[in-house]
Amino acid sequence: LAPMPNAGSSARARVARVLAVAVAAAALWVALAAWALSSPVGSTPDEDYHLATAYCAAGLLDCQPDGSRAGPCYGGSAETPGTCQQVGRLEVPPGAGIRTGWYPPFYRTFMSWFVQDSVGGTALAMRLVNVTLTVAAVVGSIALTSRRFRLAVAVTWVAVSGPLVLALVSSLNPNAWSVLGLGAMWGPLLSVLVQRRRHSPWLVAGRLAFVEAVTLMALGSRTEGAPYVLIAVAAFSFFVLIWPGLSAGWFGRLVRQRWARLAVLGVLAAQAVAVFLTFSGEKSDSYLRGRRLTGWEVIRESLGSLPGAALIPGLPRTSLGCCYDVQMPPVVGIATGTAIVVALVLGLRVMYLRKGLAFTSFLLLTGAFLAYVWVNATRLPYQPRYFVPLLFLLVGIALIGPISRHDHRRVFRGAWPLLAIAVLAAVSATAGLLTNVQRYAVGMPRGQASIAAVMSASSTAWWPDGFNVPPWTIWVGGSAAFLLAIVVGLYLAGGRR
């Protein structure tokens, strides 16, 4: 006879699992908060612009269609630390105005709720809001994904989250929402599209609500969020359109399910088309002027966009002028790129018709989109950060395991590949955070990060009182917390399948 289940042991196991999830979420929040604290006001991409738009939306700044943007004192000089920055003490951002029509208004309207008494307090509050939203998106995407795909979602987050992703999601740039939106939507969406057994309607409703919320965040962030959502919808539609092995008795029910699932994709696509048609024209007409790229340049940039997003040489501060204000050491790009390659190799070993069609359509649509972008581009550079959300779809689709109950192949056959990805991600994040902290705490006159330089730095004097902590604490605490988050997260995601 089988032993009777021990109710007390089962309850203790559930409590332990909940506590482990809480530890992983708290550790991830600490790690991202360290990135938010590691640089002064104006250091994240176009922060002066997006701070001003939030003040405009709050009615605290008179914004004109065109106006000047005040560059930070440390900009363009790696030897100048961020401690020279005094903008954070002001009540409103400097500058004569801002163009407010280039982006969907949802992001700046939401961020206007967090305007504080000082510019520094506002920047920090907005960064920490995005940190909190990112943690919620990561935990929600893993928890609401069905067990057979849960580890794939977790590994995708770990492999793709190099310093560029960590810096973006802890910034106040709208890129944070496009990254977390695309990274969080596909797992729960796939779970809805391929479910075969009867599930609780509350679980299905929760998955759909979560997918809708993070999709709206991606669409409300930047204009490129719309084509990214369309690419995702087109790729994942192949998991619905092909239904092999239908029998006559089940045909009617499966057809009804298929159309219901196609309706979910249709709603997402309709929202993306509406946002794209509403907000893409104004920025394209006013922003992209100048000499067009040659045919060879278009091919080169199209093929290099996704690798460039993975092998990022530095962290950008602005779209204008200099591209990278913080130069990353080579180990960052090597570690992040290797983690992504390992994940792709693991995933592509398991291939079947629907997955192959989804992956191929993603590559073709992404290639067409990138070619369109570069054909219409000018000498004003598109930074790799714009294409980071596509990496989540690339790695995520590759890691999808079999959806048939009769296919027993496994993407993850042992712990060693997962351990390798975790170590590579931790090395990349640790080196990247060290470089970012030193760049702004003491400067980088020799162009290389130094542990001794960070340990000798006194404080992050650019933040309001209460957040002025030693830079070495930010680096050590953030690096240790990130390692803890990915180890516990991967263990939890792969523990019950």
Side-chain angles (χ1 to χ4, degrees):
L1 295 176
M4 294 294 291
N6 189 322
S9 299
S10 178
R12 285 193 296 271
R14 287 195 296 270
V15 171
R17 187 172 182 84
V18 170
L19 290 176
V21 171
V23 168
L28 181 59
W29 193 94
V30 171
L32 296 179
W35 279 91
L37 288 166
S38 66
S39 59
V41 178
S43 59
T44 65
D46 296 319
E47 189 165 287
D48 53 349
Y49 177 96
H50 298 293
L51 266 175
T53 59
Y55 277 83
C56 292
L60 300 176
L61 191 63
D62 183 18
C63 297
Q64 306 299 323
D66 291 289
S68 62
R69 297 169 62 176
C73 57
Y74 52 79
S77 174
E79 298 181 2
T80 305
T83 51
C84 68
Q85 182 68 289
Q86 301 297 319
V87 172
R89 303 177 184 274
L90 302 177
E91 294 183 1
V92 295
I98 207 74
R99 181 183 293 276
T100 59
W102 282 358
Y103 297 90
F106 179 63
Y107 182 83
R108 65 172 178 264
T109 301
F110 177 82
M111 284 301 175
S112 69
W113 301 344
F114 304 99
V115 172
Q116 306 293 312
D117 294 334
S118 66
V119 173
T122 299
L124 184 57
M126 292 180 181
R127 291 186 189 184
L128 293 180
V129 165
N130 277 343
V131 165
T132 304
L133 291 174
T134 301
V135 173
V138 173
V139 174
S141 65
I142 298 175
L144 292 173
T145 299
S146 61
R147 291 180 184 177
R148 52 182 163 170
F149 306 128
R150 193 171 291 163
L151 186 57
V153 174
V155 171
T156 301
W157 278 108
V158 173
V160 178
S161 296
L164 178 59
V165 170
L166 298 175
L168 286 177
V169 298
S170 58
S171 74
L172 55 84
N173 190 283
N175 262 139
W177 283 18
S178 59
V179 169
L180 68 89
L182 268 296
M185 71 173 289
W186 71 268
L189 176 62
L190 178 66
S191 301
V192 171
L193 297 180
V194 303
Q195 68 179 27
R196 295 283 182 164
R197 296 180 301 173
R198 185 181 298 276
H199 288 283
S200 165
W202 293 107
L203 175 60
V204 177
R207 286 171 173 168
L208 291 175
F210 179 83
V211 169
E212 175 67 8
V214 295
T215 300
L216 288 178
M217 293 181 71
L219 295 176
S221 60
R222 297 178 54 90
T223 53
E224 64 265 21
Y228 292 167
V229 170
L230 288 174
I231 291 173
V233 167
F236 284 103
S237 67
F238 287 99
F239 289 99
V240 183
L241 292 174
I242 301 175
W243 292 85
L246 292 181
S247 62
W250 294 93
F251 181 81
R253 184 172 66 86
L254 288 176
V255 166
R256 288 193 296 272
Q257 289 180 344
R258 181 181 67 176
W259 285 110
R261 298 172 193 192
L262 286 175
V264 171
L265 296 176
V267 170
L268 298 177
Q271 293 173 142
V273 170
V275 170
F276 182 78
L277 294 177
T278 303
F279 298 106
S280 63
E282 181 176 355
K283 185 173 183 178
S284 298
D285 293 340
S286 60
Y287 193 58
L288 302 179
R289 296 174 181 171
R291 186 184 76 80
R292 302 293 182 179
L293 275 64
T294 65
W296 165 246
E297 289 174 328
V298 169
I299 295 174
R300 182 192 65 196
E301 298 298 336
S302 298
L303 294 176
S305 294
L306 290 186
L311 306 174
I312 186 73
L315 300 181
R317 177 178 52 82
T318 177
S319 297
L320 306 176
C322 174
C323 292
Y324 303 110
D325 202 52
V326 182
Q327 296 293 328
M328 288 284 116
V331 67
V332 168
I334 293 173
T336 302
T338 304
I340 291 175
V341 170
V342 170
L344 290 174
V345 171
L346 285 175
L348 295 178
R349 294 183 307 173
V350 177
M351 188 59 64
Y352 48 92
L353 179 60
R354 276 179 273 193
K355 178 178 175 179
L357 291 173
F359 193 76
T360 302
S361 66
F362 168 79
L363 294 178
L364 292 176
L365 291 172
T366 298
F369 170 75
L370 293 174
Y372 171 80
V373 167
W374 291 110
V375 164
N376 292 279
T378 67
R379 278 302 183 187
L380 190 64
Y382 282 98
Q383 295 173 2
R385 64 184 172 94
Y386 300 138
F387 310 116
V388 164
L390 293 171
L391 288 176
F392 284 90
L393 296 179
L394 173 70
V395 177
I397 296 174
L399 287 174
I400 294 173
I403 63 175
S404 172
R405 289 174 294 179
H406 306 293
D407 189 342
H408 300 293
R409 291 177 296 172
R410 297 178 61 183
V411 172
F412 307 102
R413 301 176 184 175
W416 288 109
L418 298 179
L419 180 61
I421 292 174
V423 170
L424 289 168
V427 168
S428 179
T430 300
L433 184 57
L434 175 68
T435 305
N436 205 49
V437 169
Q438 180 179 338
R439 163 64 184 88
Y440 293 111
V442 296
M444 301 186 67
R446 297 181 180 178
Q448 294 182 348
S450 168
I451 295 177
V454 171
M455 289 297 183
S456 64
S458 58
S459 66
T460 52
W462 50 77
W463 291 123
D465 293 339
F467 291 94
N468 191 348
V469 296
W472 69 267
T473 305
I474 295 175
W475 174 57
V476 173
S479 300
F482 186 71
L483 177 60
L484 176 63
I486 60 178
V487 169
V488 176
L490 290 176
Y491 175 79
L492 291 172
R496 294 175 58 190
R497 296 161 53 195

